[in-house]
Amino acid sequence: MSEDVLLETRGAVGMVTLNRPKALNALSLEMCRVLHPRLDSWAADPSVKAVVIRGAGGRAFCAGGDVRAVASSVARSDPSLSREFFLAEYALNHRIHHFPKPFIALVDGICMGGGLGLSMHGAFRVVTEKLVLAMPETAIGIFPDVGGGWFLPRFPGESGTYLGLTGARCDAADALWLGYATHRTESSRLEDVVAALVAADWSRPGREVAARVLQGFHQDAGAPGLAARAEVIDRCFQGSRVEDLFAALEREGTAWAEETRATLLRMSPMSLRVTLRQLRIGRGQDYDATARMEYRLSQAMTRRADFQEGIRAVLVDKDQKPRWSPATLAEVTDAEVESCFAPRPGDELELPARG
């Protein structure tokens, strides 16, 4: 068993601890391969009534998938890790999405990208005052995956479009308003939450028991900043083309609009176009269809030069000065965008039926 993910059973509760604190608990291929069969086992075990997932180290729940390893593999002209990692990650997300028992994520600290895949698809998400929530993929030349095309369009108004394109960060109050978080408590009380779940009487329906326990720890998170900007976000991010969003922000003319516009200008133009298309398609699809679409996108986008460049600029050299190709929105053609969504041999995701 990998030491990067610790698995145990406490009473009626299956416990998952992501155990890569130095890497902010980034999700690796090996971690996916260890965790998935245990979830299958717990789903079938009548003595296990719920599953809890958390991150070790106190700084992060999960900072995302291990995209740096994927980029290194692609740079060596070896696409196998990209295929295998995204297949394993998306299959794991699918297992969580359709998990038949309460799946409870204790989200303390940083939760980005793949961390949302490990938490958003479960029944309950308990966040703390340390939460930093974001989908920053357009900054590294890809797109908000792990079901982002399904859950971002289902956040209030155009907030998901805004978050998916800009990578803006959210706190606990924002997370509750979005519907990402189901409960908020203090980081110092998370061990008490686990103890209460382990000690609970699970003779009643599992979701009812879990909800009652978690509600006992819930605390007010204050006013969400996103809600205060909801009207302007909806006004500026409702367009069907990225150029429409830029024009709306320019018309707005406020400091926030200018800052948001500047943020978008730093992102990969191709990623912006693909992401907006992904989110608009996702509005009308169920989760499984969106996962299949996103797997095709994952393979198309990781083959592009922007992915290597984004990883270099953000995670390797950290100069925050990516040289995108194409360099501008005007240079990204509709045909290039559509080609990323097109089926290709070997780029299809097969998902099992889940009850």
Side-chain angles (χ1 to χ4, degrees):
M1 182 181 299
S2 169
E3 293 183 356
D4 290 344
V5 55
L6 307 179
L7 304 169
E8 59 180 316
T9 304
R10 296 189 191 176
V13 178
M15 292 290 306
V16 179
T17 303
L18 307 175
N19 192 39
R20 297 182 69 197
K22 291 183 179 179
L24 300 178
N25 299 319
L27 184 67
S28 67
L29 174 59
E30 183 182 11
M31 292 164 74
C32 293
R33 287 176 169 171
V34 169
L35 178 53
H36 194 154
R38 180 58 68 90
L39 291 182
D40 286 341
S41 175
W42 281 335
D45 185 346
S47 70
V48 174
K49 305 299 183 183
V51 170
V52 171
I53 186 170
R54 61 185 179 176
R59 294 177 59 203
F61 169 71
C62 174
D66 195 353
V67 290
R68 187 167 177 171
V70 173
S72 296
S73 173
V74 174
R76 298 192 301 270
S77 299
D78 177 10
S80 61
L81 182 58
S82 178
R83 288 196 301 268
E84 293 173 14
F85 173 74
F86 286 106
L87 279 172
E89 184 182 32
Y90 288 13
L92 178 59
N93 295 161
H94 185 262
R95 171 74 276 188
I96 296 169
H97 188 92
H98 295 285
F99 201 69
K101 300 174 182 180
F103 187 95
I104 304 160
L106 304 182
V107 187
D108 189 30
I110 297 167
C111 180
M112 296 184 180
L116 279 85
L118 293 176
S119 54
M120 185 67 200
H121 297 297
F124 299 97
R125 294 161 298 280
V126 181
V127 302
T128 76
E129 76 281 2
K130 292 159 57 177
L131 179 71
V132 180
L133 185 76
M135 294 292 281
E137 288 81 5
T138 58
I140 57 170
I142 48 176
F143 64 100
D145 66 329
V146 296
W150 175 79
F151 61 76
L152 288 171
R154 287 159 178 80
F155 286 165
E158 295 294 344
S159 58
T161 308
Y162 165 69
L163 296 173
L165 291 172
T166 66
R169 298 183 174 193
C170 300
D171 61 14
D174 292 330
L176 285 164
W177 179 76
L178 288 168
Y180 168 79
T182 58
H183 300 83
R184 185 268 188 194
T185 194
E186 293 294 322
S187 175
S188 61
R189 302 195 73 194
L190 290 179
E191 286 297 334
D192 295 334
V193 173
V194 172
L197 288 165
V198 171
D201 176 3
W202 290 94
S203 61
R204 298 182 65 83
R207 288 182 70 104
E208 179 183 324
V209 175
R212 185 172 65 249
V213 170
L214 298 178
Q215 189 60 35
F217 290 90
H218 181 62
Q219 297 172 312
D220 181 70
L226 270 180
R229 296 197 184 278
E231 185 177 339
V232 66
I233 288 172
D234 290 353
R235 190 162 59 241
C236 292
F237 282 83
Q238 63 182 332
S240 59
R241 293 178 59 84
V242 179
E243 290 87 346
D244 298 338
L245 314 188
F246 274 100
L249 289 165
E250 190 170 1
R251 287 194 301 271
E252 205 67 31
T254 62
W256 174 85
E258 285 303 309
E259 181 181 344
T260 301
R261 188 171 177 274
T263 296
L264 290 173
L265 285 170
R266 293 194 294 270
M267 304 307 177
S268 159
M270 185 69 176
S271 289
L272 292 178
R273 282 196 180 274
V274 166
T275 296
L276 187 58
R277 177 81 172 129
Q278 168 208 8
L279 298 181
R280 295 302 184 245
I281 292 173
R283 281 176 169 171
Q285 288 188 154
D286 64 17
Y287 167 71
D288 286 8
T290 300
R292 294 185 181 97
M293 173 183 73
E294 290 183 356
Y295 182 71
R296 291 194 297 271
L297 286 176
S298 76
Q299 299 310 289
M301 295 296 279
T302 55
R303 283 192 286 257
R304 297 184 61 86
D306 273 6
F307 177 54
Q308 296 292 327
E309 179 61 10
I311 295 296
R312 181 205 64 77
V314 175
L315 298 178
V316 180
D317 297 340
K318 300 183 181 179
D319 60 17
Q320 308 300 323
K321 294 180 180 179
R323 297 178 291 273
W324 302 123
S325 177
T328 66
L329 282 173
E331 296 173 83
V332 181
T333 68
D334 290 344
E336 285 179 298
V337 173
E338 291 305 317
S339 71
C340 293
F341 291 83
R344 287 186 178 87
D347 286 359
E348 295 302 309
L349 176 66
E350 294 185 9
L351 296 172
R354 295 289 186 191

